[in-house]
Amino acid sequence: MPERIHEVTAFLAEVLGPRAPLTVIVDGGDHGAAASFAACLAAAFPPSARAWTVDAVLGLSGPSGGRSDSALNVLEPAADRVIVYLRSGPRGRGLANGEGERRAQVVIDHHDPEWPVIRHVHPRLADPERWYLAESRAFFGARAAGWDTKFGDDLPAYAMAVEVAAPRPGDLALDVGCGTGRALPALAAAVGPQGRVIGLDLTPAMLHAARQAGREAVADLVIADARRLPLPDAVAGLVFAAGLVQHLPDPGAGLAELARVTRAGGKLMIFHPSGRAALAARHGRTLRPDEPLNRENLEPLLAATGWKLLRYDDPADHFLALAERA
């Protein structure tokens, strides 16, 4: 068994313990590889924890390949069942639009069968401190080297978002979850020579790619967890957060931490270089009412954590929410 698969299965076996039955939902992609991974999961559990695969395209099947009537109601809540959802390539039809993923207690990115990564564990099963940092680094570290090649066309959108945020000359601007630093040059130009820009990311490989791209020349690059920033209170004039908030295990706690480091009247720019509906469609689903960046969810969340929403845009080619520190 590849080492990465062993790490994931061993962690889940430790966290979930002898719970039964264990249900594995496979949504799209290479079903043979996903079934193999489900078998690896089954082998890591005691016999009392039955493992089933649920194929979103072909229907429900047990580990022997036959249809499982006991799994037909897999999406119904049950105290004695743990649902593990494998994101495994293009989404299937039977559990499309994220319903299986939304109800699952564990979500695993399985697009690369040799490199599964845990993307969600219900807090009832494991505190995020046990998995979030290591798994986020595993996910983004494997993608860092090719990130700018894949998404290099997004640079004008980042410059537009910085222009909308309008940091003042001389400001301290933070790019939290900066990745390879695509926003850093625009932020540095906006705050000018008397200002300062700090890019913070928890994945060393992402910051290495930022240095390789020459972005260390315009910003300080710091390894940091967005939930615990190594900065004093009320120092930043702008916090730029691209593709960050919706991936935090507790978006409210993350927004509160961003508020802590921002001075009164400072700004928060939540951004993505494509619209939310377009991004969801690219992943084979539509937007759901419970998503944290929906305006009806985000606005009260911002208010509860010290922010006032000033602007909310979500056309096809970008998403931005601009807020001011109360």
Side-chain angles (χ1 to χ4, degrees):
M1 183 190 308
E3 183 62 27
R4 179 62 197 158
I5 294 176
H6 175 75
E7 290 175 357
V8 171
T9 54
F11 174 79
L12 291 178
E14 175 192 353
V15 166
L16 301 181
R19 302 170 189 267
L22 176 72
T23 300
V24 182
I25 298 175
V26 179
D27 195 359
D30 184 341
H31 299 94
S36 296
F37 182 61
C40 291
L41 282 177
F45 285 81
S48 60
R50 300 169 62 198
W52 296 96
T53 61
V54 182
D55 186 318
V57 177
L58 301 178
L60 307 174
S61 61
S64 62
R67 188 174 180 86
S68 166
D69 291 336
S70 65
L72 285 173
N73 296 320
V74 65
L75 295 182
E76 294 304 315
D80 63 345
R81 178 171 58 238
V82 174
I83 300 173
V84 178
Y85 186 93
L86 300 187
R87 298 174 180 167
S88 186
R91 301 300 173 92
R93 294 186 298 272
L95 297 170
N97 198 30
E99 188 62 15
E101 181 171 345
R102 185 181 70 82
R103 298 195 187 190
Q105 291 97 332
V106 179
V107 176
I108 298 174
D109 187 289
H110 195 254
H111 287 79
D112 181 349
E114 298 297 315
W115 196 257
V117 179
I118 298 168
R119 300 298 284 152
H120 169 74
V121 179
H122 195 286
R124 176 174 56 83
L125 300 176
D127 188 282
E129 298 305 319
R130 296 188 62 188
W131 63 271
Y132 171 72
L133 185 62
E135 293 299 309
S136 292
R137 284 175 169 166
F139 182 84
F140 288 105
R143 293 161 170 77
W147 198 263
D148 278 3
T149 300
K150 187 174 182 179
F151 299 112
D153 293 344
D154 293 339
L155 291 176
Y158 278 83
M160 176 276 297
V162 172
E163 183 178 357
V164 170
R168 300 189 310 207
D171 263 349
L172 169 62
L174 309 177
D175 186 352
V176 182
C178 68
T180 60
R182 287 176 290 167
L184 297 177
L187 289 168
V191 301
Q194 302 305 312
R196 183 184 180 193
V197 178
I198 303 177
L200 305 105
D201 200 277
L202 57 75
T203 304
M206 281 289 187
L207 295 183
H208 176 73
R211 293 185 183 96
Q212 293 292 101
R215 289 162 187 158
E216 195 174 31
V218 298
D220 298 311
L221 300 177
V222 178
I223 294 176
D225 185 341
R227 303 169 301 162
R228 286 181 292 274
L229 296 172
L231 295 164
D233 296 350
V235 292
L238 170 66
V239 174
F240 192 90
L244 171 72
V245 173
Q246 67 271 36
H247 294 302
L248 295 173
D250 184 343
L255 289 170
E257 176 65 357
L258 300 184
R260 180 188 68 79
V261 301
T262 306
R263 68 166 186 261
K267 301 296 196 304
L268 168 66
M269 171 58 76
I270 302 172
F271 174 70
H272 196 279
S274 63
R276 295 172 57 246
L279 181 63
R282 200 156 70 225
H283 291 121
R285 64 178 185 85
T286 58
L287 296 175
R288 302 188 308 267
D290 61 343
E291 297 188 19
L293 295 186
N294 288 356
R295 180 165 189 159
E296 57 270 26
N297 300 328
L298 181 61
E299 191 162 11
L301 191 59
L302 287 167
T305 53
W307 301 99
K308 178 182 178 182
L309 184 64
L310 302 178
R311 176 171 171 176
Y312 185 96
D313 295 352
D314 193 12
D317 61 349
H318 72 273
F319 167 82
L320 68 83
L322 181 66
E324 182 177 73
R325 181 71 170 96

